[in-house]
Amino acid sequence: MNHSAMLVGRILLALIFLVAGYRKLLAVAGSAGYFAKLGFPMPEVMVWVAIAIELGGAILLIVGWKTRW
């Protein structure tokens, strides 16, 4: 498979997580309320954990950390 096609695929997949993390970042209180409604423990903390995982994971996916070339 072409290396540039794999890069484009990783970027497109990462966009899903970037958008979700960015939307949570813009509405932290709303996301915390939704997490509390779902029954998450410590929803304010869990929102920040979710943001870190989504944004950090997307960045790692884009740069290709731990991927096979």
Side-chain angles (χ1 to χ4, degrees):
M1 184 157 225
N2 191 355
H3 294 297
S4 59
M6 292 182 357
L7 175 63
V8 170
R10 286 197 320 261
I11 290 171
L12 291 175
L13 182 62
L15 279 176
I16 296 169
F17 297 108
L18 283 174
V19 169
Y22 182 69
R23 292 183 75 182
K24 280 183 187 66
L25 191 60
L26 290 179
V28 174
S31 297
Y34 180 68
F35 281 15
K37 180 181 166 186
L38 292 176
F40 278 80
M42 298 185 305
E44 295 84 12
V45 175
M46 295 307 264
V47 167
W48 290 106
V49 170
I51 290 170
I53 289 172
E54 286 177 343
L55 294 180
I59 291 168
L60 291 174
L61 187 61
I62 290 170
V63 298
W65 185 68
K66 295 282 187 172
T67 59
R68 291 186 210 166
W69 290 99

